[in-house]
Amino acid sequence: MQATTYVGIGQIKSLGAKLELPLTSGGCETQGSEGKASCGSSDGPADMSPEIWEKVKNHPCYSEEAHHHYARMHVAVAPACNIQCNYCNRKYDCSNESRPGVVSQKLTPDQAVKKVVAVASEIPQMTVLGIAGPGDALASPQKTFDTFRMLQEQAPDIKLCLSTNGLALPDMVDEICKYNVDHVTITINMVDPAIGEKIYPWIFWNHKRITGYEASRILHERQMLGLEMLTARGVLTKVNSVLIPGVNDKHLIDVNREVKKRGAFLHNIMPLISEAEHGTVFGLTGQRGPTAAELKAVQDACMGGANLMRHCRQCRADAVGLLGEDRSDEFTPEKIEQMEVVYDLDRRRAYQDQVEIERQAQQAAKQEALAAAAAMAAVSDLKVLVAVATKGGGRVNEHFGHVTEFQIFEVSTTQALFVGHRRVDQYCQGGFGDDEQLPSVVRAINDCHAVLVAKIGACPKDELIQAGIEPVDQYVGEFIEKAALDWFNDYRARIASGAVVHQNRGDAQIRQGAFTTVLASAAKAA
Ligand code: CLF
Ligand code: SF4
């Protein structure tokens, strides 16, 4: 096996880009403070400079809190790609930033801009336009930057965002800055080309196809250089990594450390989605994706390094709406033709001002609930997972039977932290429950101690209780974190009084084990 060849900060020399950057400060302006891992996706204005807060506060991917309130949209203007990933089949969208197996309708830059303006006039909380495929945003740079240029003129309040594999990135940093693209995602699955060889069969670079170790070495060096250059120019950079069990699972801890050194703002570790019917190399060779427990174990093992994003929904290259919802069907070219589009900047601002008021109320409610949790002496060392049924706005407001995605919060006396989501098939089928579906819904949240819902029927209630999960419908309409903490305090009181006996569930057991044990046992269970 070849020795690991991490590219050192500021040592990149062979790949033809000039680098003038204040790397000694650790790169990201927001990470300058000694020893403090700041600018996490859950952080707020007190944790970062006003300029950075301005950039992230209404970006649903860069701020966990914002994703409850603000929407993004993607336009599929970038069809080509310059590398091959073993988890990608070119029939579909780029799997670095979307689920495999979905195909987006490709648009010209003109069509794309028309669509963005139409969506923004209908959805005033749509604040970010991302270009994330269906190939690589920088492999077709003309289309990507034409779209950004025209959009800047027509909808100046929309933040611009792009996602790339990084190969072409160093050559594009000037263009990225020219169009005020404040947010860039680079997919970095390895910092060791020996591991890269198992993920990337080839790259196309300098007019030729390069394979094997050399391909991954070049890709790695270009990714590191691109990240450093963006950091030096003050562009917020998120790193996406696809977790591939047995290939890069433990290695992602090294990736996290290396990208943090180079100023990455966030690290988003996403599960490999791999099915034979997707026709990918990994799908056809039986490479499996991680379980939810494995994903969480790797994310937890990275804590203390680059801040983690845990609310990614692996959205498609033409997704529209809040993360986790997809309203793209409402904005087909035919429907846009019929729409009366009025891009009213004042209306958008007024709406977003209201969102900010709601958001401050949510923060205040959370702080109040945390203070109550800290003041309570009983069972103070507990940490549990709680599933939440929500359709947005940061509130408990969805019926159990209508859920297609539970949000998962880790609750203790010091936090109510969003740690992930679990997709499920909807249990309620228009007036009646699908009993065959129910076990899989319950299984999806079986490491949680409670599920907070707006409403729930008798049958699923019984099934949840049988599985040891408490169905809770008394916090309907309340802010999620406050509801979770209030339930948690009530639960602690019941434990203290002997009314219930606390039992560890999956997550608690996982947390007690060593990292390697966790991966081994989770793999066995899968
Ligand atoms: Fe799109 Fe990506 Fe920009 Fe967000 S998505 S280009 S940073 S606006 Fe977000 Fe979707 Fe996850 Fe991407 S949830 S797949 S991280
Ligand atoms: Fe596919 Fe995206 Fe990888 Fe290109 S970068 S091969 S489009 S997953």
Side-chain angles (χ1 to χ4, degrees):
M1 196 168 134
Q2 305 197 42
T4 305
T5 56
Y6 302 145
V7 178
I9 292 175
Q11 290 173 349
I12 298 158
K13 48 213 177 288
S14 61
L15 298 167
K18 267 199 262 158
L19 196 60
E20 294 165 21
L21 68 172
L23 283 171
T24 46
S25 72
C28 175
E29 303 152 56
T30 59
Q31 296 193 354
S33 53
E34 288 287 308
K36 177 167 182 336
S38 65
C39 53
S41 68
S42 303
D43 289 352
D47 306 295
M48 59 190 82
S49 70
E51 302 80 58
I52 300 293
W53 176 243
E54 209 40 52
K55 286 183 186 179
V56 303
K57 71 174 189 190
N58 62 2
H59 193 306
C61 303
Y62 282 68
S63 160
E64 188 276 313
E65 202 189 286
H67 101 277
H68 298 288
H69 304 283
Y70 292 103
R72 55 74 187 100
M73 72 176 286
H74 290 163
V75 285
V77 294
C81 191
N82 46 9
I83 70 171
Q84 179 63 55
C85 306
N86 278 336
Y87 45 74
C88 177
N89 175 350
R90 290 288 166 68
K91 263 194 344 205
Y92 303 122
D93 289 356
C94 174
S95 326
N96 283 333
E97 188 81 352
S98 84
R99 287 189 301 283
V102 289
V103 195
S104 298
Q105 192 182 18
K106 295 184 190 86
L107 300 176
T108 64
D110 283 314
Q111 291 169 323
V113 171
K114 195 169 179 186
K115 181 172 177 180
V116 178
V117 173
V119 171
S121 70
E122 285 289 304
I123 308 180
Q125 72 273 39
M126 195 283 284
T127 46
V128 178
L129 180 266
I131 297 184
D136 185 77
L138 298 180
S140 322
Q142 186 74 39
K143 292 180 174 153
T144 295
F145 291 116
D146 277 354
T147 307
F148 286 152
R149 179 180 48 74
M150 288 190 281
L151 192 64
Q152 256 196 342
E153 290 158 12
Q154 296 187 38
D157 65 323
I158 290 180
K159 287 189 163 70
L160 306 177
C161 193
L162 69 81
S163 166
T164 175
N165 59 45
L167 184 63
L169 178 60
D171 306 327
M172 300 290 160
V173 170
D174 284 345
E175 288 288 284
I176 286 170
C177 294
K178 181 173 158 192
Y179 293 110
N180 297 321
V181 180
D182 273 339
H183 303 81
V184 171
T185 295
I186 316 172
T187 298
I188 301 179
N189 296 319
M190 54 86 199
V191 288
D192 176 357
I195 291 174
E197 269 189 286
K198 299 175 190 164
I199 303 171
Y200 305 105
W202 56 260
I203 65 168
F204 193 80
W205 194 61
N206 274 352
H207 311 292
K208 47 180 195 291
R209 183 178 288 223
I210 300 165
T211 59
Y213 185 90
E214 183 63 0
S216 287
R217 184 190 67 75
I218 294 168
L219 180 62
H220 163 56
E221 293 190 5
R222 299 282 291 175
Q223 290 175 335
M224 296 297 113
L225 175 62
L227 172 56
E228 291 182 4
M229 292 173 76
L230 291 173
T231 298
R233 304 282 289 265
V235 178
L236 291 189
T237 308
K238 171 167 71 64
V239 168
N240 279 3
S241 298
V242 180
L243 169 54
I244 310 162
V247 175
N248 69 352
D249 38 10
K250 292 176 196 124
H251 181 62
L252 289 183
I253 299 165
D254 298 334
V255 173
N256 183 278
R257 186 188 57 242
E258 294 301 316
V259 301
K260 179 183 180 181
K261 267 194 222 167
R262 292 166 176 82
F265 184 78
L266 277 179
H267 189 194
N268 171 26
I269 300 175
M270 320 187 295
L272 171 74
I273 301 174
S274 179
E275 304 289 346
E277 60 264 32
H278 297 153
T280 61
V281 171
F282 280 155
L284 295 171
T285 54
Q287 170 65 56
R288 68 175 182 86
T291 62
E294 285 173 306
L295 176 65
K296 187 169 185 301
V298 174
Q299 289 171 331
D300 287 353
C302 289
M303 278 174 85
N307 290 299
L308 296 171
M309 171 186 187
R310 298 188 192 233
H311 59 283
C312 175
R313 302 303 202 276
Q314 289 170 283
C315 23
R316 48 192 287 172
D318 62 358
V320 175
L322 293 171
L323 302 192
E325 75 174 3
D326 189 0
R327 299 177 59 180
S328 48
D329 281 353
E330 295 171 39
F331 299 96
T332 59
E334 300 73 37
K335 288 183 181 160
I336 289 171
E337 279 309 319
Q338 306 297 320
M339 285 168 59
E340 194 183 328
V341 175
V342 182
Y343 193 80
D344 184 341
L345 204 50
D346 290 338
R347 180 175 157 256
R348 284 176 54 77
R349 286 199 181 122
Y351 189 95
Q352 289 172 26
D353 287 346
Q354 284 306 310
V355 171
E356 285 307 310
I357 291 169
E358 175 82 353
R359 195 171 166 180
Q360 278 161 19
Q362 183 179 4
Q363 260 306 325
K366 179 180 173 179
Q367 293 311 324
E368 187 190 311
L370 277 172
M376 188 174 157
V379 208
S380 58
D381 57 349
L382 201 61
K383 185 181 275 188
V384 298
L385 295 183
V386 172
V388 179
T390 177
K391 52 187 171 194
R395 293 180 185 267
V396 181
N397 54 10
E398 184 61 289
H399 292 198
F400 178 85
H402 296 168
V403 170
T404 54
E405 174 194 288
F406 287 101
Q407 295 193 355
I408 309 295
F409 284 75
E410 189 171 74
V411 191
S412 68
T413 52
T414 55
Q415 65 179 16
L417 180 71
F418 179 97
V419 291
H421 64 277
R422 308 276 166 80
R423 287 204 178 98
V424 294
D425 290 323
Q426 189 170 316
Y427 162 68
C428 179
Q429 301 294 329
F432 66 92
D434 181 347
D435 290 342
E436 286 185 16
Q437 211 70 265
L438 194 50
S440 71
V441 179
V442 174
R443 236 185 352 261
I445 54 170
N446 70 359
D447 51 353
C448 298
H449 276 78
V451 55
L452 310 187
V453 298
K455 201 170 178 183
I456 185 166
C459 178
K461 211 174 203 173
D462 287 348
E463 188 99 3
L464 285 163
I465 292 168
Q466 288 292 322
I469 305 165
E470 186 177 331
V472 182
D473 58 4
Q474 77 204 65
Y475 300 108
V476 52
E478 290 197 18
F479 288 120
I480 293 171
E481 290 92 342
K482 177 167 171 27
L485 285 159
D486 284 352
W487 170 82
F488 179 66
N489 290 342
D490 176 59
Y491 181 61
R492 288 163 64 202
R494 283 182 281 144
I495 297 170
S497 71
V500 295
V501 176
H502 174 72
Q503 289 184 330
N504 282 342
R505 301 186 65 78
D507 181 64
Q509 287 150 15
I510 283 167
R511 289 186 154 275
Q512 285 159 10
F515 175 56
T516 45
T517 318
V518 172
L519 290 181
S521 60
K524 215 168 166 193

